[in-house]
């Protein structure tokens, strides 16, 4: 038996918005410690890793480990039926081939339940090594979303270059070039409004706008975003989800070609 | 052509070995393409009102059209193609080639009949069957590819075998052909429909040999024997044994030699002096140029020379050729998107473990832990 009750149902709705554009389907791996999801997009350029710890749920029960393969567009349709202040419960029997979503209105006067078929998914799982990154940049998530949106008008890719002065985002294309520089915030009043750069060595990498813009769909989940970069390895974009876990996106860089 | 009924058999016994993908998901991949197969395809398919395209003085240009545009389409999608042309046919293919010549003669007769009767549909049908690829066609295409900066090579013998050699050595990611015997030659990943027209909206079929073998429970040697039983280009098969019987027999006996010992010869009679051993050798040790000796290089297209060749000599529209060149330049100068699987190791594919709901504890979650274990809560920043 698996059951997870989340008082802040809106959170699950936001998580859904943050992954459904990137992934068509994904497996939710439910274990005693919480729910994990790892999946790559179809072209294997980016990866979503979602972690929801059991402590973040109002009630969490998972007797046996369970892998639930879900079609995310179907799941999204169901979650759209929940109001923002609803309490959401996910339930499944052991070895079941369906999952049930229960929505309770705050005053309990309305209870709806939706049952969804699960699917068998054939997805590759990747082992992600623990890495010390050369640059770790923290900035307000809304600012990052804005930068990605603005720069994607100029070209298909964004160059992120991090030095000890700060971080520079740039793009170039047919209409011209664009550069946005962020300096480290000198005095920190509120941590989530600050730009913080922790750098061991400078890094410059190029990434496809298309994916960055899909990652920024997670902006409502957290006021702050953390970018981790090292030379020639994938970028990590992390949004912490308060009290419950995080969502991390990995994105392979664009690289110059050696056979040309 | 190829192996009789192999693709259907794979779909039946090893469905998870076949994946359908969009062309854009193959960006950054190097792919070896069986050029002789494509030549046929284009000569047959690239037509206007049933006739091949020709230049002003009547020379066929369908194949150039096909190679030019379809190559650009691949390059635009970030694929790096390398074309492999057929060399001389292996002597064992004599029988098959004789059969093809026979069919051609038949088509010729039918065509004459259809022309007499004035049946346009039939005329079209039979004239397509009469398509023959000449040496000149091949040379023209090679000249075009050289000008486009696309690498190509001529195999000493069969193109599929050479493609397989490149793929096995990791020089290319996959082999693109419609010919299923590329798998018999040991191609790890086979792509079908890659050179089809965009208008047909055919998804690309990706067949992974390792998954085929794994799911069918065969070794590569057993797989080769299975292909010979199904019917290949090099020798006859046993009359009366279809795909279903063939795989059962191989799974039970593990080789053609063993199978012959126990075969009910009253029911099925293998061909006299059946040269299956030679066919086997052809599949296992085909005549190829070692991949180590092959160097693949993608160059800048030579726009002026291309215009000169395609427009002045072959009568193509200059704007279109220049446009195509622009696309080639552009694709060369954009950085290639990397893939996550080249940075992180694939741990397991849960589907190969059968029904996931039967054994989820063993596979999925255990692996997940190993993978995210370190990074789960530690990296607090």
């Amino acid at each position: 038996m698996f059951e997870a009750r989340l008082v802040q149902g809106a959170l699950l709705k936001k998580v859904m918005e943050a992954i459904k554009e990137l992934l068509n389907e994904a497996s939710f791996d439910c274990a005693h410690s919480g729910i994990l999801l790892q999946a790559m997009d179809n072209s294997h350029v980016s990866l979503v890793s979602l972690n929801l710890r059991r402590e973040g749920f109002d009630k969490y029960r998972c007797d046996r480990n369970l892998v639930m393969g879900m079609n995310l567009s179907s799941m999204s349709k169901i979650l759209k039926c929940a109001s923002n202040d609803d309490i959401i419960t996910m339930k499944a029997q052991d070895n079941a081939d369906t999952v049930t979503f229960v929505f309770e209105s705050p005053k309990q006067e309305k209870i709806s339940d939706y049952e969804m078929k699960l699917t068998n998914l054939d997805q590759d799982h990747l082992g992600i090594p623990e890495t010390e990154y050369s640059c770790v940049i923290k900035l307000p998530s809304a600012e990052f979303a804005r930068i990605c949106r603005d720069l994607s008008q100029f070209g298909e890719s964004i160059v992120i270059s991090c030095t000890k002065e700060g971080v520079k985002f740039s793009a170039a294309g047919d209409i011209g070039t664009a550069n946005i520089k962020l300096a480290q915030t000198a005095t920190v009043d509120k941590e989530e409004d600050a730009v913080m750069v922790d750098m061991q060595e400078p890094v410059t990498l190029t990434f496809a706008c298309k994916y960055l813009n899909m990652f920024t769909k997670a902006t409502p989940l957290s006021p702050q975003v953390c970018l981790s970069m090292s030379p020639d390895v994938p970028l990590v974009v992390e949004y912490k989800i308060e009290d419950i876990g995080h969502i991390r996106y990995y994105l392979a860089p664009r690289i110059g070609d050696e056979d040309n | 052509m190829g192996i009789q009924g192999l693709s259907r058999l794979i779909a039946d016994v090893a469905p998870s070995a076949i994946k359908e993908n969009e062309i854009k998901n193959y960006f950054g991949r190097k792919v070896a393409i069986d050029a002789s197969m494509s030549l046929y395809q284009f000569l047959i398919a690239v037509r206007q009102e049933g006739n091949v395209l020709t230049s002003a003085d009547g020379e066929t240009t369908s194949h150039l059209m096909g190679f030019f545009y379809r190559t650009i389409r691949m390059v635009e999608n970030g694929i790096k193609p390398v074309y492999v042309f057929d060399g001389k046919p292996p002597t064992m293919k004599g029988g098959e080639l004789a059969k093809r010549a026979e069919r051609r003669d038949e088509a010729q007769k039918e065509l004459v009949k259809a022309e007499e009767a004035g049946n346009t549909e039939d005329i079209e049908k039979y004239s397509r069957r009469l398509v023959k690829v000449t040496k000149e066609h091949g040379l023209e295409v090679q000249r075009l590819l050289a000008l486009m900066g696309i690498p190509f090579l001529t195999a000493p013998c069969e193109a599929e075998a050479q493609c397989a050699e490149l793929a096995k050595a990791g020089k290319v990611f996959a082999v693109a052909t419609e010919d299923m015997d590329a798998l018999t030659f040991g191609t790890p990943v086979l792509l079908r429909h890659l050179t089809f027209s965009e208008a047909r909206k055919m998804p690309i079929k990706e067949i992974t040999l390792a998954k085929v073998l794994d799911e069918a429970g065969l070794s590569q040697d057993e797989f080769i024997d299975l292909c010979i039983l199904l019917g290949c280009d090099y020798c006859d098969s046993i009359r009366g044994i279809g795909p279903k019987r063939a795989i059962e027999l191989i799974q039970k006996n593990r080789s053609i030699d063993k199978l012959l010992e126990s075969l009910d010869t009253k029911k099925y009679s293998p061909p006299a002096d059946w040269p299956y051993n030679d066919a086997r050798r052809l599949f296992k040790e085909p005549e190829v140029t070692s991949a180590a000796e092959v160097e693949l290089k993608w160059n800048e297209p030579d726009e002026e020379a291309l215009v000169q060749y395609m427009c002045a000599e072959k009568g193509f529209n200059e704007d279109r050729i220049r446009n195509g060149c622009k696309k080639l330049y552009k694709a060369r100068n954009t950085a290639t998107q990397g893939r996550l699987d080249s940075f992180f190791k694939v741990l397991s594919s849960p589907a190969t473990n059968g029904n996931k709901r039967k054994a989820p504890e063993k596979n999925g979650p255990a692996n997940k832990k190993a993978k995210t274990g370190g990074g789960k809560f530690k990296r607090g920043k």
Side-chain angles (χ1 to χ4, degrees), chain B residues 54-285:
Chain B
T54 56
S55 63
D57 44 8
E59 262 183 273
T60 309
T61 54
S62 283
H63 53 305
L64 295 174
M65 173 95 162
F67 271 89
F68 188 68
Y69 286 111
R70 308 260 165 106
T71 303
I72 287 177
R73 175 170 174 236
M74 279 184 254
V75 172
E76 264 192 305
N77 280 291
I79 296 172
K80 309 180 104 195
V82 42
Y83 286 96
V84 180
F85 290 83
D86 266 331
K88 60 174 189 343
T91 34
M92 283 197 70
K93 214 171 175 175
E96 169 71 18
L97 294 177
K99 264 188 234 160
R100 286 186 202 167
E102 212 170 276
R103 279 203 295 267
R104 172 184 303 281
D105 288 344
E106 230 163 78
Q108 178 72 54
K109 276 182 217 145
E110 292 290 335
L111 179 64
V112 173
K113 256 194 246 165
E115 270 169 356
E116 275 167 12
N119 184 340
T120 41
E121 215 170 274
D122 276 3
I123 293 177
E124 210 171 292
K125 183 164 120 198
Y126 292 113
S127 70
R128 275 173 204 242
R129 281 193 200 168
L130 276 174
V131 165
K132 191 163 167 57
V133 173
T134 64
K135 221 177 152 114
E136 279 65 47
H137 289 143
L139 292 175
E140 284 170 356
V141 168
Q142 293 183 2
R143 184 161 166 212
L144 171 68
L145 291 173
L147 294 176
M148 291 172 77
I150 305 292
F152 62 88
L153 59 139
T154 305
C157 199
E158 296 257 57
E160 299 101 275
Q162 184 66 52
C163 289
E165 164 73 13
L166 294 178
K168 273 191 279 187
K171 284 262 178 186
V172 296
F173 163 75
V175 174
T177 175
E178 305 309 306
D179 219 337
M180 292 295 283
D181 60 10
L183 286 175
T184 326
F185 284 115
T187 300
V189 180
L190 175 84
L191 304 181
R192 300 187 87 184
H193 313 331
L194 183 68
T195 51
F196 279 20
S197 143
E198 197 163 9
R200 285 172 70 179
K201 298 235 178 335
M202 269 286 219
I204 290 164
K205 229 181 216 174
E206 176 179 327
I207 305 175
T208 315
L209 179 62
K211 282 193 185 163
V212 173
L213 299 181
D214 191 49
E215 257 179 79
L218 299 174
S219 68
Q220 177 66 17
D221 287 352
E222 288 156 11
F223 181 69
I224 291 175
D225 278 10
L226 170 68
C227 292
I228 295 173
L229 270 189
L230 288 171
C232 63
D233 290 345
Y234 305 130
C235 64
D236 290 326
S237 51
I238 303 177
R239 263 187 85 86
I241 294 187
K244 221 175 153 220
R245 288 284 296 158
I247 189 154
E248 273 169 20
L249 286 170
I250 290 288
Q251 279 171 341
K252 202 172 117 210
N253 296 294
R254 300 281 148 203
S255 75
I256 292 187
D257 313 74
K258 282 265 169 55
L259 173 163
L260 287 177
E261 284 168 24
S262 59
L263 192 71
D264 181 356
T265 41
K266 271 179 227 126
K267 237 165 115 192
Y268 307 104
S269 51
D273 298 325
W274 195 21
Y276 67 88
N277 246 319
D278 297 315
R280 220 189 246 168
R281 197 164 345 104
L282 263 180
F283 281 124
K284 274 170 88 167
E285 299 150 15

